[in-house]
Amino acid sequence: MSCKEDDGTKMLYLAHGLPRTHPVHKGMEEFKRVLEKESNGTLKVKIFSDAQLGSEREVLELLQIGSVAATKVSAATLSNFVPEYHIFGVPYLFRDKQHQYDVLEGPIGKSILEKGSKFWLRGLCYYDAGSRSFYTSNKAIRTPDDLSGLKIRVMNNQMAINMVNSMGGSATPLSYSELYTAIQQGVVDGAENNPPSFVSSNHYEICKYYTLDEHSAVPDVLLIGTKYWNKLTDEQKKWVQKAADESAQAEKVFWNESVEESMKIAIEAGVEVIKPDKSLFTEKSKSVLEDFVKNNPEMATIVDQIKNQ
């Protein structure tokens, strides 16, 4: 399915779970455009969006057996296969957006991309998936102390759970599809996510406080299965990597545009946007990094390299 040859052309099937309107999907469309242009049409890309071929985990398994050529998944999902991706879940790992880009596009980021090869999942590039921040229905969060007593929905991920609990909140893992109703019914008091997700999920309709504490910035990763990659010539591999690199730069622009548009919609709907003193949140969540490094000593060097870059 991933490597259909017809008249000298190779077909690359790229499957992911996002809607076609999403900035990351637009990044993948740029990957398709550049690759088909670079290869003079000898490498063609067919994109399957909206989880047509399965969930993130299911598509990763299709890559491993060679049924699909490429996919985009969150680094959080990928950490179940490649432990080094857990690092990106550490709160306040990056000083700012430029620091994040420098790390991901430099030797550290490239080294982590390559670590997936032994699991048949070769990383090509990172896509910006923004920063996650808190939003709540009835109480504004201006300092970490305001999280006390609040039930905050998180992904079913130990680092996310530890982070909210370290700040004084009560982390509540819950399916994303159930979240709107859970907030409405008071099962949880709020959640945390990036601006485009906050708006596309319609959570801004029922959560009128959005605190831009930007506690984590977990990127998306464009992956190619090594079963497909190893069938490419050296020249074809260069075309694929070039297309990935150019698509990553284009996706940054699409992402920033989406953030601006989402924030505009939220503010016009009456959401109060709070810009807190982030250092208070950084200080409160330090134990998460300390525990992570203590429990994963082999990751400590990478974390130090990131912090010192």
Side-chain angles (χ1 to χ4, degrees), residues 132-249:
R132 298 176 78 94
S133 293
F134 293 115
Y135 53 86
T136 44
S137 51
N138 295 314
K139 179 186 174 186
I141 296 170
R142 300 182 196 281
T143 72
D145 292 344
D146 294 325
L147 279 158
S148 180
L150 295 186
K151 293 191 290 293
I152 303 294
R153 180 268 173 185
V154 292
M155 295 179 288
N156 193 9
N157 171 288
Q158 197 55 51
M159 192 136 15
I161 293 167
N162 294 348
M163 181 204 63
V164 169
N165 291 342
S166 73
M167 292 186 188
S170 178
T172 310
L174 195 69
S175 163
Y176 194 59
S177 59
E178 297 168 18
L179 183 50
Y180 189 100
T181 310
I183 296 169
Q184 247 182 346
Q185 295 175 349
V187 175
V188 293
D189 300 295
E192 44 87 55
N193 217 319
N194 57 57
S197 297
F198 176 52
V199 170
S200 64
S201 61
N202 296 321
H203 294 163
Y204 74 100
E205 297 171 350
I206 49 175
C207 286
K208 293 304 178 185
Y209 302 101
Y210 193 22
T211 303
L212 297 180
D213 67 296
E214 299 180 321
H215 45 257
S216 64
V218 179
D220 281 344
V221 185
L222 181 65
L223 296 163
I224 191 162
T226 55
K227 292 249 169 92
Y228 183 91
W229 177 259
N230 292 337
K231 291 177 183 172
L232 299 177
T233 65
D234 287 348
E235 187 174 35
Q236 288 170 330
K237 287 175 181 174
K238 281 180 188 161
W239 293 335
V240 169
Q241 189 61 59
K242 182 176 185 201
D245 292 341
E246 290 193 18
S247 74
Q249 298 308 314

Side-chain angles (χ1 to χ4, degrees), residues 26-306:
K26 292 177 183 173
M28 287 181 273
E29 285 182 329
E30 185 68 7
F31 170 77
K32 168 185 164 74
R33 186 191 71 75
V34 175
L35 182 54
E36 292 181 352
K37 179 181 164 216
E38 286 293 318
S39 68
N40 286 320
T42 57
L43 284 177
K44 293 195 177 296
V45 180
K46 184 167 174 56
I47 303 175
F48 295 86
S49 61
D50 301 282
Q52 290 175 64
L53 300 187
S55 67
E56 284 197 340
R57 191 174 183 98
E58 287 165 341
V59 174
L60 281 173
E61 288 165 0
L62 291 175
L63 254 70
Q64 289 178 313
I65 60 172
S67 297
V68 170
T71 190
K72 183 290 310 171
V73 296
S74 168
T77 304
L78 204 47
S79 65
N80 295 315
F81 294 80
V82 186
E84 284 79 5
Y85 284 103
H86 278 299
I87 287 169
F88 297 130
V90 170
Y92 301 105
L93 178 67
F94 303 113
R95 290 186 294 277
D96 52 34
K97 187 63 86 178
Q98 191 56 53
H99 180 219
Q100 182 188 11
Y101 291 155
D102 290 345
V103 168
L104 296 182
E105 292 167 13
I108 301 169
K110 286 177 181 169
S111 155
I112 293 174
L113 288 177
E114 285 165 14
K115 286 185 188 298
S117 292
K118 62 185 170 194
F119 304 98
W120 308 285
L121 301 167
R122 181 187 176 85
L124 291 172
C125 69
Y126 298 94
Y127 288 140
D128 192 352
S131 300
R132 298 176 78 94
S133 293
F134 293 115
Y135 53 86
T136 44
S137 51
N138 295 314
K139 179 186 174 186
I141 296 170
R142 300 182 196 281
T143 72
D145 292 344
D146 294 325
L147 279 158
S148 180
L150 295 186
K151 293 191 290 293
I152 303 294
R153 180 268 173 185
V154 292
M155 295 179 288
N156 193 9
N157 171 288
Q158 197 55 51
M159 192 136 15
I161 293 167
N162 294 348
M163 181 204 63
V164 169
N165 291 342
S166 73
M167 292 186 188
S170 178
T172 310
L174 195 69
S175 163
Y176 194 59
S177 59
E178 297 168 18
L179 183 50
Y180 189 100
T181 310
I183 296 169
Q184 247 182 346
Q185 295 175 349
V187 175
V188 293
D189 300 295
E192 44 87 55
N193 217 319
N194 57 57
S197 297
F198 176 52
V199 170
S200 64
S201 61
N202 296 321
H203 294 163
Y204 74 100
E205 297 171 350
I206 49 175
C207 286
K208 293 304 178 185
Y209 302 101
Y210 193 22
T211 303
L212 297 180
D213 67 296
E214 299 180 321
H215 45 257
S216 64
V218 179
D220 281 344
V221 185
L222 181 65
L223 296 163
I224 191 162
T226 55
K227 292 249 169 92
Y228 183 91
W229 177 259
N230 292 337
K231 291 177 183 172
L232 299 177
T233 65
D234 287 348
E235 187 174 35
Q236 288 170 330
K237 287 175 181 174
K238 281 180 188 161
W239 293 335
V240 169
Q241 189 61 59
K242 182 176 185 201
D245 292 341
E246 290 193 18
S247 74
Q249 298 308 314
E251 189 270 342
K252 287 181 194 174
V253 178
F254 301 141
W255 184 268
N256 290 334
E257 288 170 352
S258 179
V259 168
E260 280 180 33
E261 179 62 22
S262 301
M263 293 301 289
K264 186 169 170 240
I265 290 168
I267 290 165
E268 285 174 357
V271 172
E272 181 186 349
V273 176
I274 299 153
K275 294 185 177 174
D277 179 351
K278 285 190 203 174
S279 67
L280 300 175
F281 292 84
T282 306
E283 189 61 33
K284 270 279 197 179
S285 61
K286 262 166 61 174
S287 62
V288 180
L289 171 59
E290 288 162 4
D291 290 346
F292 175 71
V293 170
K294 189 170 77 182
N295 296 328
N296 302 276
E298 71 282 5
M299 308 281 185
T301 306
I302 307 174
V303 171
D304 283 345
Q305 287 171 343
I306 291 171

